[in-house]
Amino acid sequence: MVAIGQAAPSAERLRVIDEFLAEAWADLARHDDRLRPLAVEVRFDRGVAHLTGEVKEAAELRLVRDLVGRLAGVLGVWCRVGVGGQAPVVVDLGCGGTKQWPGNLGLDIYPAPGVDAVADLSGSLPLADDSVDVFFAVHILEHLIDFLPLLDECHRVLRPGGVLHVMSPWWRHVNAVADPTHVRLLDVQTFKGICGQRPPGTPRWYPLHISCDGASIFADLTPLGPDDPSPTRAHLARFFD
């Protein structure tokens, strides 16, 4: 069952939560034999875990991501980790002049410093199939009347095991309605629909992590192939009513 607070945590509380999470992860990494040899750095910023470094195999990255996501208080697990000597291809959707990490490919409908390609996010993305490891859609979906075509495009472009990171205002927070360019309201349950209630034959998603801090919604989604099993009820119960 998901517990959603009515008020966003203060900056001081978020700072203390980050300290707790850093201590909890350091303790786990010391005592888990699977983690000790991995060259992955985990940093916490306002409840979001930022993973950097490199691993030999994709399964090692999935392990770290899963274990970090199980820590109480983690809102999202944002990842820029190389696998097998290959740096990840990371794309910021609607980045404007701000990217989540320097070096990301930035797409936006308007040209600006930091925008590498001009693209209408309500249409097709100018990217090849299976060409991207990580998408960031930070404060983007709420600006699109219909964001499902964008999610379908992300599904097409992501490589197997890739991740779409979403952050948007929670529908009950003033930020959701304070910006007149916001045309959609989002909730944790929105991603329940995205992951489990779309028609047969449409792209399917597996929720790696979904959360709300009282101000924003966070979602980490990975694409499912046509023959991949759906998430179990026990897994979905971590995030959804």
Side-chain angles (χ1 to χ4, degrees), residues 38 58 61 128 131 140 186 200 217:
L38 302 183
L61 174 55
S131 62
I140 295 302
L186 285 84
I217 298 294

Side-chain angles (χ1 to χ4, degrees), residues 27-156:
D27 187 60
L28 180 61
R30 279 195 302 269
H31 292 89
D32 192 319
D33 292 338
R34 299 169 297 175
L35 297 174
R36 280 201 291 267
L38 302 183
V40 176
E41 179 182 350
V42 181
R43 178 180 62 86
F44 298 94
D45 182 10
R46 300 176 64 86
V48 176
H50 296 261
L51 277 56
T52 54
E54 186 170 341
V55 295
K56 294 180 180 178
E57 300 177 354
E60 295 174 332
L61 174 55
R62 182 65 177 264
L63 171 68
V64 176
R65 203 164 52 199
D66 286 350
L67 292 179
V68 171
R70 293 177 189 175
L71 296 177
V74 168
L75 297 172
V77 184
W78 291 6
C79 188
R80 187 184 175 89
V81 175
V83 178
Q86 296 293 319
V89 177
V90 185
V91 176
D92 268 300
L93 298 171
C95 65
T98 303
K99 296 179 181 178
Q100 300 307 311
W101 278 299
N104 290 358
L105 174 67
L107 300 184
D108 201 290
I109 193 170
Y110 299 113
V115 174
D116 300 291
V118 175
D120 183 354
L121 299 184
S122 64
S124 299
L125 296 179
L127 300 166
D129 294 0
D130 301 329
S131 62
V132 169
D133 297 291
V134 178
F135 274 115
F136 281 101
V138 176
H139 293 300
I140 295 302
L141 299 190
E142 65 272 19
H143 293 275
L144 301 176
I145 293 175
D146 182 4
F147 55 71
L148 290 177
L150 176 59
L151 296 188
D152 291 348
E153 277 291 279
C154 291
H155 193 285
R156 174 184 67 81

Side-chain angles (χ1 to χ4, degrees), residues 175-198:
N175 288 346
V177 295
D179 187 336
T181 67
H182 290 177
V183 294
R184 292 298 302 269
L185 298 175
L186 285 84
D187 184 67
V188 167
Q189 298 301 107
T190 306
F191 292 93
K192 180 180 181 180
I194 290 170
C195 294
Q197 297 176 0
R198 296 194 65 196

